[in-house]
mmCIF file of all heavy atoms in Angstrom:
data_model
loop_
_atom_site.group_PDB
_atom_site.id
_atom_site.type_symbol
_atom_site.label_atom_id
_atom_site.label_comp_id
_atom_site.label_asym_id
_atom_site.label_seq_id
_atom_site.Cartn_x
_atom_site.Cartn_y
_atom_site.Cartn_z
ATOM 1 N N VAL A 32 3.412 15.562 -27.050
ATOM 2 C CA VAL A 32 3.850 15.528 -25.649
ATOM 3 C C VAL A 32 2.673 15.847 -24.733
ATOM 4 O O VAL A 32 2.519 15.236 -23.665
ATOM 5 C CB VAL A 32 5.023 16.514 -25.424
ATOM 6 C CG1 VAL A 32 5.404 16.598 -23.976
ATOM 7 C CG2 VAL A 32 6.222 16.115 -26.274
ATOM 8 N N LEU A 33 1.829 16.762 -25.139
ATOM 9 C CA LEU A 33 0.645 17.103 -24.346
ATOM 10 C C LEU A 33 -0.319 15.920 -24.267
ATOM 11 O O LEU A 33 -0.864 15.623 -23.197
ATOM 12 C CB LEU A 33 -0.064 18.319 -24.951
ATOM 13 C CG LEU A 33 -1.312 18.812 -24.222
ATOM 14 C CD1 LEU A 33 -0.966 19.239 -22.801
ATOM 15 C CD2 LEU A 33 -1.949 19.953 -24.989
ATOM 16 N N VAL A 34 -0.499 15.204 -25.365
ATOM 17 C CA VAL A 34 -1.380 14.034 -25.374
ATOM 18 C C VAL A 34 -0.818 12.963 -24.440
ATOM 19 O O VAL A 34 -1.556 12.359 -23.651
ATOM 20 C CB VAL A 34 -1.559 13.491 -26.810
ATOM 21 C CG1 VAL A 34 -2.361 12.199 -26.811
ATOM 22 C CG2 VAL A 34 -2.236 14.531 -27.689
ATOM 23 N N ILE A 35 0.497 12.741 -24.503
ATOM 24 C CA ILE A 35 1.129 11.758 -23.605
ATOM 25 C C ILE A 35 0.963 12.195 -22.154
ATOM 26 O O ILE A 35 0.631 11.380 -21.286
ATOM 27 C CB ILE A 35 2.616 11.574 -23.957
ATOM 28 C CG1 ILE A 35 2.762 10.901 -25.324
ATOM 29 C CG2 ILE A 35 3.331 10.755 -22.890
ATOM 30 C CD1 ILE A 35 4.188 10.872 -25.842
ATOM 31 N N ALA A 36 1.179 13.475 -21.879
ATOM 32 C CA ALA A 36 1.069 13.972 -20.505
ATOM 33 C C ALA A 36 -0.347 13.816 -19.961
ATOM 34 O O ALA A 36 -0.531 13.377 -18.808
ATOM 35 C CB ALA A 36 1.504 15.436 -20.450
ATOM 36 N N VAL A 37 -1.347 14.137 -20.757
ATOM 37 C CA VAL A 37 -2.734 14.013 -20.293
ATOM 38 C C VAL A 37 -3.085 12.543 -20.067
ATOM 39 O O VAL A 37 -3.747 12.193 -19.083
ATOM 40 C CB VAL A 37 -3.709 14.703 -21.278
ATOM 41 C CG1 VAL A 37 -5.156 14.441 -20.897
ATOM 42 C CG2 VAL A 37 -3.448 16.204 -21.309
ATOM 43 N N ASN A 38 -2.634 11.663 -20.967
ATOM 44 C CA ASN A 38 -2.860 10.232 -20.763
ATOM 45 C C ASN A 38 -2.158 9.732 -19.501
ATOM 46 O O ASN A 38 -2.726 8.947 -18.736
ATOM 47 C CB ASN A 38 -2.378 9.432 -21.974
ATOM 48 C CG ASN A 38 -3.413 9.335 -23.060
ATOM 49 O OD1 ASN A 38 -4.601 9.263 -22.789
ATOM 50 N ND2 ASN A 38 -2.970 9.334 -24.298
ATOM 51 N N LEU A 39 -0.937 10.186 -19.277
ATOM 52 C CA LEU A 39 -0.193 9.776 -18.082
ATOM 53 C C LEU A 39 -0.889 10.256 -16.814
ATOM 54 O O LEU A 39 -1.022 9.504 -15.838
ATOM 55 C CB LEU A 39 1.240 10.306 -18.144
ATOM 56 C CG LEU A 39 2.168 9.913 -17.017
ATOM 57 C CD1 LEU A 39 2.315 8.398 -16.939
ATOM 58 C CD2 LEU A 39 3.530 10.550 -17.206
ATOM 59 N N ILE A 40 -1.358 11.476 -16.822
ATOM 60 C CA ILE A 40 -2.108 12.001 -15.675
ATOM 61 C C ILE A 40 -3.376 11.184 -15.454
ATOM 62 O O ILE A 40 -3.738 10.862 -14.319
ATOM 63 C CB ILE A 40 -2.420 13.505 -15.875
ATOM 64 C CG1 ILE A 40 -1.133 14.324 -15.796
ATOM 65 C CG2 ILE A 40 -3.445 13.998 -14.857
ATOM 66 C CD1 ILE A 40 -1.270 15.750 -16.266
ATOM 67 N N GLY A 41 -4.048 10.832 -16.548
ATOM 68 C CA GLY A 41 -5.249 10.006 -16.437
ATOM 69 C C GLY A 41 -4.956 8.664 -15.791
ATOM 70 O O GLY A 41 -5.672 8.230 -14.879
ATOM 71 N N TRP A 42 -3.901 7.983 -16.252
ATOM 72 C CA TRP A 42 -3.539 6.694 -15.651
ATOM 73 C C TRP A 42 -3.169 6.857 -14.185
ATOM 74 O O TRP A 42 -3.534 6.026 -13.348
ATOM 75 C CB TRP A 42 -2.372 6.058 -16.397
ATOM 76 C CG TRP A 42 -2.731 5.376 -17.668
ATOM 77 C CD1 TRP A 42 -2.243 5.666 -18.903
ATOM 78 C CD2 TRP A 42 -3.641 4.297 -17.854
ATOM 79 N NE1 TRP A 42 -2.803 4.830 -19.837
ATOM 80 C CE2 TRP A 42 -3.661 3.971 -19.219
ATOM 81 C CE3 TRP A 42 -4.460 3.562 -16.994
ATOM 82 C CZ2 TRP A 42 -4.452 2.958 -19.745
ATOM 83 C CZ3 TRP A 42 -5.247 2.549 -17.522
ATOM 84 C CH2 TRP A 42 -5.229 2.257 -18.872
ATOM 85 N N ALA A 43 -2.416 7.904 -13.871
ATOM 86 C CA ALA A 43 -1.999 8.122 -12.486
ATOM 87 C C ALA A 43 -3.222 8.351 -11.593
ATOM 88 O O ALA A 43 -3.311 7.775 -10.500
ATOM 89 C CB ALA A 43 -1.051 9.317 -12.405
ATOM 90 N N LEU A 44 -4.155 9.154 -12.045
ATOM 91 C CA LEU A 44 -5.355 9.414 -11.241
ATOM 92 C C LEU A 44 -6.192 8.155 -11.069
ATOM 93 O O LEU A 44 -6.717 7.891 -9.981
ATOM 94 C CB LEU A 44 -6.185 10.525 -11.886
ATOM 95 C CG LEU A 44 -5.582 11.920 -11.825
ATOM 96 C CD1 LEU A 44 -6.359 12.886 -12.702
ATOM 97 C CD2 LEU A 44 -5.500 12.419 -10.401
ATOM 98 N N LEU A 45 -6.327 7.367 -12.143
ATOM 99 C CA LEU A 45 -7.083 6.117 -12.036
ATOM 100 C C LEU A 45 -6.405 5.160 -11.058
ATOM 101 O O LEU A 45 -7.076 4.512 -10.248
ATOM 102 C CB LEU A 45 -7.223 5.461 -13.409
ATOM 103 C CG LEU A 45 -8.228 6.108 -14.343
ATOM 104 C CD1 LEU A 45 -8.122 5.506 -15.740
ATOM 105 C CD2 LEU A 45 -9.636 5.950 -13.806
ATOM 106 N N ALA A 46 -5.089 5.073 -11.125
ATOM 107 C CA ALA A 46 -4.368 4.175 -10.213
ATOM 108 C C ALA A 46 -4.477 4.661 -8.773
ATOM 109 O O ALA A 46 -4.678 3.862 -7.854
ATOM 110 C CB ALA A 46 -2.900 4.070 -10.623
ATOM 111 N N LEU A 47 -4.351 5.966 -8.561
ATOM 112 C CA LEU A 47 -4.429 6.488 -7.199
ATOM 113 C C LEU A 47 -5.846 6.398 -6.643
ATOM 114 O O LEU A 47 -6.043 6.531 -5.437
ATOM 115 C CB LEU A 47 -3.926 7.931 -7.156
ATOM 116 C CG LEU A 47 -2.424 8.073 -7.401
ATOM 117 C CD1 LEU A 47 -2.038 9.542 -7.473
ATOM 118 C CD2 LEU A 47 -1.621 7.353 -6.346
ATOM 119 N N GLY A 48 -6.824 6.155 -7.485
ATOM 120 C CA GLY A 48 -8.184 5.914 -7.030
ATOM 121 C C GLY A 48 -8.367 4.520 -6.442
ATOM 122 O O GLY A 48 -9.402 4.233 -5.848
#
Side-chain angles (χ1 to χ4, degrees):
V32 175
L33 181 61
V34 174
I35 292 171
V37 173
N38 275 326
L39 183 60
I40 291 168
W42 281 121
L44 290 170
L45 285 171
L47 291 175

